[in-house]
Amino acid sequence: MTGVSYTAIRQLFSSAATGLALFAVLSNAAPAQPPLRTLDRTNLLQYRDDSGTVKPVTNAAEWGKRRADILAAMQQVMGPMPGDDRRVDLAVKIEEEADAGSYVRRLITYQSEPGSRTPAYLCIPKDVLAGKHKAAAVLCLHPTDNTVGHKVVVGLGGRAGRQYAAELAERGYVTLSPAYPHLANYYPNLGKLGYVSGTMKAIWDNSRGLDLLESRDYVDSTNGFGAIGHSLGGHNAVYTAVLDERVTAVVSSCGLDSYTDYMDGAERVWYFGQGWCQIRYMPRMSNYRNKLEQIPFDFPELLGALAPRPLFVNAPLHDSNFRWKSVDDCAEAARPVYELLGDPANLQIEHPDSDHNFPDDMREASYQVIDSVLRPADN
């Protein structure tokens, strides 16, 4: 973050309402009244009918109504997903190109919307670039890194366990790794662009990244796209896949637990500018300090909203950011939706004996899940 000390802001403006008013001044975004939760976060097999009566979900159509409510609740907090009028010409520019052995790595920018260009790394296997065959593509979303940003996933960040874009390119995939808003060297003016959260800007950049991949004649999108991410990239992958169903295989490493369990519910992380309430995430979350149960959507519902698509979650036993037991609770709540839609095995949760990391064996297992969806003929 630049130009403002958010520690100072928290000290001066401790109330959520005042913090959001300040955010409105900074970003030209009007603060919203916090919406209230209307259905149980862990009982996903219930929905409200047209009269508002709570009823049990018994089929896919009824689940579709609950899912629509989940998506609406997300956007009450994140801000609305931009419409197709923002899908302007991508105007891709190649800024740098490097030989990476079996693939070519390009640093590009693309016009994600009017007035905004998004940096990204595009990795293309050489045989694919030569026109020998098409390849499936994976969106590779980076963890929090305010120094190298998206470089870390293409192996340029010097951190083990984060180079999944490079590894998937070596495996024969086309990979696209967009920068995340307000990290490293990417600072779009969120307020001027009409966003109330960095989260929604990231989702839109990712969706436009899928448009870019679809536009490349060397990409095979027959079976959709993969999305993989660690930490920040882990929840970014989930959010993006919920709102863009072109993502057909999802991998989330160290990226989630229930909002009610985050940092064991510590009040200090729910002030404006802290935790989930930072501008790069969702400032409106600060409305729910001391009333976390009222947050209108949560990860049990988001995991359910991904069903029946294959989802691989790496939740280490010693992750200091997200609690593995909470991840299990989220999965337990989502599993009945997977069962309803016929694919309970598609929800896979692993608990390696590690810290906040993405170990080698977990990355390999996640790649196999992606392979099973994007390269079914090879399995």
Side-chain angles (χ1 to χ4, degrees), residues 24-351:
V25 172
L26 292 173
S27 67
N28 298 318
Q33 292 299 314
L36 300 178
R37 167 166 291 281
T38 59
L39 292 171
D40 191 320
R41 75 184 58 243
T42 60
N43 180 5
L44 273 61
L45 295 187
Q46 58 176 207
Y47 75 103
R48 288 190 182 277
D49 66 13
D50 294 340
S51 68
T53 303
V54 177
K55 291 186 175 180
V57 170
T58 62
N59 55 50
E62 291 170 347
W63 163 247
K65 294 182 178 180
R66 174 67 186 270
R67 188 179 188 278
D69 285 344
I70 295 168
L71 270 59
M74 289 176 68
Q75 293 173 80
Q76 286 176 314
V77 177
M78 298 176 179
M81 180 83 163
D84 286 343
D85 60 309
R86 304 277 278 277
R87 294 189 189 275
V88 295
D89 185 83
L90 290 160
V92 177
K93 295 181 181 178
I94 300 174
E95 308 292 345
E96 299 175 7
E97 183 168 299
D99 186 326
S102 64
Y103 63 93
V104 172
R105 183 183 64 242
R106 292 174 175 169
L107 175 61
I108 67 170
T109 62
Y110 58 93
Q111 186 174 225
S112 49
E113 58 192 303
S116 182
R117 294 191 65 83
T118 302
Y121 280 101
L122 177 64
C123 297
I124 314 162
K126 289 180 178 178
D127 55 351
V128 172
L129 197 57
K132 294 182 179 179
H133 62 91
K134 293 186 176 185
V138 182
L139 197 61
C140 298
L141 307 176
H142 69 85
T144 301
D145 192 311
N146 208 17
T147 303
V148 299
H150 59 157
K151 288 183 178 180
V152 73
V153 297
V154 295
L156 300 177
R159 299 187 68 190
R162 273 77 168 163
Q163 69 279 13
Y164 34 87
E167 291 176 343
L168 284 163
E170 290 169 352
R171 205 177 180 98
Y173 287 100
V174 174
T175 66
L176 183 72
S177 308
Y180 189 92
H182 288 218
L183 282 175
N185 296 317
Y186 180 44
Y187 280 83
N189 187 326
L190 299 177
K192 185 176 181 180
L193 291 169
Y195 291 96
V196 298
S197 75
T199 295
M200 183 53 73
K201 172 57 173 165
I203 292 168
W204 182 250
D205 286 352
N206 296 340
S207 183
R208 293 293 282 144
L210 297 182
D211 292 346
L212 187 156
L213 291 170
E214 281 186 329
S215 73
R216 306 296 96 173
D217 58 9
Y218 49 76
V219 169
D220 180 3
S221 60
T222 304
N223 298 308
F225 300 97
I228 182 173
H230 174 71
S231 193
L232 161 66
H235 46 260
N236 192 8
V238 170
Y239 295 151
T240 300
V242 169
L243 290 173
D244 195 322
E245 295 187 60
R246 290 176 293 178
V247 177
T248 52
V250 187
V251 175
S252 179
S253 170
C254 298
L256 62 95
D257 61 6
S258 173
Y259 296 129
T260 59
D261 295 327
Y262 178 62
M263 294 295 177
D264 298 321
E267 181 182 359
R268 60 182 170 78
V269 299
W270 291 98
Y271 285 88
F272 175 76
Q274 301 297 314
W276 290 110
C277 310
Q278 298 175 64
I279 286 176
R280 72 166 66 114
Y281 303 123
M282 296 170 281
R284 286 179 176 174
M285 280 291 204
S286 62
N287 274 318
Y288 301 97
R289 183 169 55 88
N290 293 328
K291 48 184 177 183
L292 302 183
E293 291 291 339
Q294 289 298 323
I295 297 174
F297 72 101
D298 204 344
F299 279 102
E301 293 156 303
L302 299 181
L303 300 191
L306 292 174
R309 290 171 282 175
L311 168 63
F312 180 97
V313 177
N314 170 49
L317 296 176
H318 310 293
D319 186 350
S320 60
N321 283 25
F322 300 106
R323 309 299 186 241
W324 69 268
K325 289 184 179 179
S326 180
V327 175
D328 280 352
D329 291 341
C330 293
E332 181 180 355
R335 201 170 300 281
V337 182
Y338 274 83
E339 292 172 350
L340 175 74
L341 300 180
D343 292 289
N346 280 354
L347 177 55
Q348 184 177 347
I349 312 294
E350 298 293 340
H351 298 300

Side-chain angles (χ1 to χ4, degrees), residues 349-360:
I349 312 294
E350 298 293 340
H351 298 300
D353 188 12
S354 72
D355 59 4
H356 187 76
N357 215 328
F358 201 174
D360 293 349

